[in-house]
Amino acid sequence: MKKIEARNIYKRFQNLEVLKGIDLEVSEGEVVAVIGPSGGGKSTLLRCLNKLETIEQGTIIIDGETLAKDTGKGAEYASTEDARRIACKMGMVFQQFNLFPHMTVLENLIEAPVQVQKRNKAEVIKEAEILLEKVGLSDKRDVYPRKLSGGQQQRVAIARALAMKPAIMLFDEPTSSLDPELTGEVLRTMRELAEEKMTMVVVTHEMGFAREVATKVVFMADGYVQACGTPEEIFENPTNERLKHFLNVIKK
């Protein structure tokens, strides 16, 4: 089953066209790494998928439900209530951890499932404790974010996104603000999710992760998908000139 279908996506900020007819398909259980130079539209694409940004034109279908459809005169979104529900099928992890500083780790995890999804608090706490164990932070449940390292905060952010039971996880350069040692902690957690067949779209500068963990790699530059294929096709046998240049630059 297709978890994400994005077709002919256009997005501009005032006079700057950032996405110029982007197509992206993500099947259930796929790990799609989106790579490319800064300013190529990668993060904007993720933000359009869950309606943090709205598109001018194109169609977005999430887990079989239409979030936005192209009318020929622009993109028409589902009703506010439906759009929110569809967007909630995706968990999002950002560059900055965005944890609530006045809440403990456990409180950060249970806030949205209890307040937004109206789920039973006792059940949510049990699930949250299991998630903290999964990301290796059981001993931090009652600690405030400021007492955690950056890598620990990002793992809490991943657990918090998983607490909403999303069908898809979106990662927007989740390791870009971490030093190499802490980056390894977060990538290890993401690898484990991939092994469990979680559907993931990961915007990343970590080429090792893209090469080893992704099932598909999408190369974006200048607002276009310039190349798309298996890690082997992208890294070992690139045919696109823009991709070849990018890979040569990052090797230096």
Side-chain angles (χ1 to χ4, degrees):
M1 179 185 174
K2 291 279 185 283
K3 286 292 185 181
I4 297 175
E5 295 175 72
R7 295 196 289 270
N8 204 32
I9 303 299
Y10 283 83
K11 171 67 185 172
R12 73 168 55 85
F13 295 104
Q14 292 164 330
N15 295 328
L16 180 66
E17 197 163 54
V18 181
L19 302 179
K20 307 170 184 176
I22 295 287
D23 292 330
L24 176 72
E25 283 199 352
V26 183
S27 296
E28 188 164 7
E30 268 195 314
V31 178
V32 177
V34 185
I35 64 169
S38 296
K42 306 183 301 295
S43 294
T44 299
L45 174 61
L46 274 201
R47 293 174 67 83
C48 289
L49 291 178
N50 65 1
K51 210 187 169 214
L52 288 175
E53 302 285 357
T54 54
I55 59 175
E56 274 78 55
Q57 189 180 324
T59 296
I60 299 174
I61 301 169
I62 303 296
D63 201 23
E65 294 194 84
T66 302
L67 176 65
K69 65 179 178 185
D70 206 323
T71 63
K73 297 177 180 175
E76 182 181 288
Y77 277 88
S79 69
T80 303
E81 192 177 322
D82 281 346
R84 187 179 294 122
R85 181 179 54 75
I86 294 167
C88 276
K89 292 183 173 202
M90 291 170 282
M92 180 99 169
V93 178
F94 301 87
Q95 296 177 30
Q96 303 304 327
F97 323 120
N98 292 358
L99 300 175
F100 299 119
H102 61 290
M103 292 183 181
T104 65
V105 165
L106 184 71
E107 288 166 346
N108 264 280
L109 262 67
I110 68 172
E111 174 72 7
V114 172
Q115 299 299 331
V116 178
Q117 294 180 328
K118 308 297 183 194
R119 283 160 51 198
N120 178 278
K121 186 173 180 179
E123 283 178 21
V124 171
I125 288 173
K126 274 186 197 165
E127 291 169 7
E129 287 172 337
I130 291 167
L131 285 171
L132 287 176
E133 192 175 337
K134 183 190 191 79
V135 299
L137 292 170
S138 292
D139 58 332
K140 305 293 185 187
R141 80 191 282 281
D142 299 318
V143 171
Y144 288 90
R146 66 179 177 275
K147 299 284 178 112
L148 302 176
S149 71
Q152 289 170 332
Q153 289 189 57
Q154 193 61 294
R155 283 185 283 153
V156 171
I158 292 171
R160 183 178 63 175
L162 290 171
M164 295 286 281
K165 299 191 171 181
I168 302 152
M169 285 286 282
L170 307 177
F171 294 86
D172 186 10
E173 296 187 18
T175 60
S176 64
S177 59
L178 302 176
D179 65 37
E181 188 180 355
L182 301 179
T183 292
E185 293 177 12
V186 174
L187 292 178
R188 193 158 49 248
T189 297
M190 293 167 64
R191 276 191 171 90
E192 287 165 6
L193 287 178
E195 284 164 11
E196 294 167 12
K197 296 289 183 265
M198 168 61 82
T199 306
M200 297 159 64
V201 183
V202 185
V203 170
T204 186
H205 290 298
E206 298 291 336
M207 295 303 135
F209 179 87
R211 190 188 290 261
E212 294 158 28
V213 182
T215 53
K216 182 161 74 181
V217 180
V218 173
F219 171 66
M220 282 183 68
D222 311 316
Y224 298 99
V225 170
Q226 305 266 359
C228 178
T230 64
E232 187 180 38
E233 288 167 339
I234 295 296
F235 292 108
E236 307 302 332
N237 303 299
T239 54
N240 177 278
E241 290 305 318
R242 187 74 179 81
L243 173 58
K244 285 181 187 174
H245 174 73
F246 173 75
L247 293 174
N248 284 333
V249 168
I250 61 172
K251 278 176 192 167
K252 289 174 183 171

